[in-house]
Amino acid sequence: MASECVSVNVGPRIEDKVICELSNSDHWHHPKDLQPRQGWTYRGAENLCCSNPCLNNAKFLLGYTDKRYLCVCASGYTGEHCETAMSGYFDWKPVESCLDIKTIEGEQAISGAYWLNQTGVIFQAYCQMESLGKVWTHLARFSMADAINWMKDSGEWWYDKIISTGETTDPSSNTDMISPGFWLVSGNEFKITRNDDRQHTALLQTTGDCLGGQTFRRKITSYGDFRNGTTWRFNFRCLGNCTVHYGGQYETTQGFGNAKCNGTILSGDKIGFWCDRGRWDGAVMMIGGSGSGDCGHTYHGLGITGAKIPSFSNGARREQDFGNSPYSKHYTGNYSLNLWIR
């Protein structure tokens, strides 16, 4: 008898055969369902689960182990009797980082939403558990399917926003998002992925300790205060940059049009911060080269503007949360870009 079968009903003999009904329930669990039938005999198997050895809504199975039963734990629990709550799985058991969860729980920690506690702030974030050495925390999303939030005149999404907005636990969502991790979680590298890629393959990943142990907000705002129309025009330059390598669908993704273009302002293997082309255009995060020839403009990447004097106040000029150009006829709302840190 299979381990799931915990009772049997033996019916009357018909010719040379006996009817036998197996059930995955018994009179202990559903006493009201046990009703007499003429010619039938009920027998319950020895039921070890009467003492309820499995905890926290675990499923009880007969057999499988030398104890003659097995507890199949509900999500978030582990242990022989499912007695231990996994780190980060519940809001009453948060941990500091996604890496801590992977370190504590090992292979049981898979990619998904977890509860983190950063300096007393408890919030939920999506953790991508590639391996112990590659654990990513989802910080933000840039979408063209909704309002142009990342290019608001105030610049608040980059500088000031301290309330999470958007779906923070689902990287496949296609709306703008900012998580508390943007200003709370520190790291050394970041990557950019597409929301329609369930593997979260890096389109771009920094190398060489780009963030230097800072939060992403601290990194991006360390170059100056460009809120409320203050320009970041510094005459054909980026205020900072990091070396990157590309992968996945980057060649067909908006914002990566200059990924392999080497210019006088920046080379193709870089991502620049607060870049401008004199009195013509700019980007908060410029992906790839700019400054000469086919690499001329700086308005490609994340947070792009065609303002003659680059700032969040665009006047009559176009701006976008991401793209190859704010004037492009081919910008898309079909997918968005996710930002991660580790």
Side-chain angles (χ1 to χ4, degrees):
M1 190 165 66
S3 299
E4 291 88 352
C5 301
V6 294
S7 68
V8 59
N9 293 319
V10 181
R13 181 181 295 274
I14 299 177
E15 295 181 352
D16 294 329
K17 297 180 181 180
V18 175
I19 300 175
C20 183
E21 296 178 345
L22 303 179
S23 175
N24 62 358
S25 184
D26 60 16
H27 64 290
W28 293 99
H29 290 88
H30 298 93
K32 293 182 180 180
D33 291 342
L34 183 61
Q35 302 292 330
R37 281 193 292 175
Q38 186 175 1
W40 288 79
T41 301
Y42 165 83
R43 289 288 183 269
E46 181 183 3
N47 199 334
L48 298 174
C49 66
C50 295
S51 59
N52 194 24
C54 301
L55 306 175
N56 297 307
N57 297 314
K59 183 178 181 181
F60 176 88
L61 297 179
L62 283 172
Y64 294 98
T65 70
D66 56 5
K67 301 188 305 295
R68 295 190 296 165
Y69 68 89
L70 174 69
C71 296
V72 180
C73 300
S75 297
Y77 290 96
T78 186
E80 182 179 1
H81 296 104
C82 307
E83 70 278 5
T84 304
M86 292 176 61
S87 300
Y89 208 90
F90 303 98
D91 58 358
W92 45 267
K93 196 176 181 179
V95 293
E96 186 174 351
S97 69
C98 293
L99 179 58
D100 286 345
I101 295 170
K102 189 64 173 176
T103 301
I104 296 169
E105 302 296 345
E107 293 184 358
Q108 294 187 85
I110 61 175
S111 297
Y114 291 91
W115 290 93
L116 305 182
N117 184 346
Q118 287 280 336
T119 62
V121 179
I122 298 175
F123 63 97
Q124 222 175 356
Y126 190 94
C127 302
Q128 185 194 5
M129 309 292 192
E130 286 189 25
S131 65
L132 185 57
K134 291 185 177 181
V135 177
W136 295 93
T137 305
H138 191 201
L139 301 183
R141 182 167 44 250
F142 299 76
S143 174
M144 292 303 301
D146 56 4
I148 306 176
N149 291 303
W150 290 95
M151 294 303 289
K152 287 184 176 181
D153 289 356
S154 63
E156 65 170 323
W157 278 53
W158 299 97
Y159 284 90
D160 303 306
K161 199 167 183 62
I162 56 172
I163 298 176
S164 63
T165 301
E167 179 51 68
T168 63
T169 60
D170 183 6
S172 68
S173 178
N174 188 19
T175 57
D176 285 335
M177 184 276 285
I178 186 168
S179 161
F182 189 82
W183 59 88
L184 291 174
V185 175
S186 301
N188 303 99
E189 309 295 348
F190 68 87
K191 73 172 181 176
I192 297 171
T193 68
R194 282 173 56 145
N195 77 308
D196 56 358
D197 174 13
R198 295 302 179 96
Q199 302 303 314
H200 316 305
T201 307
L203 303 169
L204 170 158
Q205 181 177 324
T206 62
T207 63
D209 194 19
C210 173
L211 298 178
Q214 302 178 90
T215 67
F216 198 86
R217 172 167 286 169
R218 183 174 292 275
K219 171 69 175 180
I220 204 71
T221 61
S222 66
Y223 297 102
D225 183 356
F226 305 115
R227 299 176 178 94
N228 301 309
T230 301
T231 181
W232 62 83
R233 187 187 73 176
F234 294 96
N235 295 321
F236 295 87
R237 60 181 290 201
C238 296
L239 296 187
N241 67 79
C242 290
T243 302
V244 302
H245 60 77
Y246 300 104
Q249 307 173 70
Y250 82 93
E251 293 179 309
T252 57
T253 298
Q254 287 286 312
F256 289 77
N258 282 23
K260 292 297 184 179
C261 193
N262 294 311
T264 55
I265 295 178
L266 206 65
S267 59
D269 64 342
K270 306 285 186 182
I271 185 168
F273 307 111
W274 306 104
C275 302
D276 81 283
R277 195 171 75 96
R279 293 177 57 85
W280 291 104
D281 47 61
V284 180
M285 297 170 64
M286 186 179 75
I287 298 172
S290 174
S292 60
D294 293 336
C295 302
H297 291 286
T298 57
Y299 52 32
H300 50 88
L302 304 180
I304 58 176
T305 178
K308 284 190 174 182
I309 301 177
S311 73
F312 289 118
S313 297
N314 63 316
R317 298 283 180 158
R318 295 287 300 274
E319 59 188 7
Q320 301 288 5
D321 283 344
F322 77 93
N324 288 334
S325 163
Y327 300 103
S328 173
K329 296 179 181 179
H330 306 292
Y331 76 84
T332 180
N334 294 332
Y335 59 83
S336 54
L337 300 183
N338 286 316
L339 178 68
W340 307 73
I341 192 173
R342 71 172 173 90

